[in-house]
Amino acid sequence: MPTCQDCRFYTAIDEIKGECFSLGFEVHGKTDSKKCPERAFRPNKGHKSKKSGAHSY
């Protein structure tokens, strides 16, 4: 499952928390992306799901 840390709007403050651009306040980096209050989660470019099993050649 992607987390806030995987979002393009997330900027880390330390290892535990960061700032969410769309919300404008601190969030825990390990928060499940489905719990984003703004529903603004957008994956970082190059983010690959561990479940996909896709290979890039």
Side-chain angles (χ1 to χ4, degrees), residues 2-56:
T3 63
C4 286
Q5 291 174 328
D6 300 318
C7 181
R8 71 175 66 174
F9 300 123
Y10 179 85
T11 304
I13 295 172
D14 59 31
E15 292 182 18
I16 299 171
K17 62 187 175 212
E19 185 175 271
C20 179
F21 175 78
S22 63
L23 300 176
F25 60 87
E26 290 180 7
V27 294
H28 289 281
K30 300 283 184 184
T31 301
D32 188 328
S33 63
K34 291 185 178 186
K35 294 183 179 179
C36 177
E38 294 288 317
R39 303 203 191 284
F41 177 81
R42 299 293 181 273
N44 284 322
K45 291 191 183 240
H47 173 76
K48 291 182 174 56
S49 171
K50 292 180 182 177
K51 292 182 181 179
S52 70
H55 297 281
S56 57

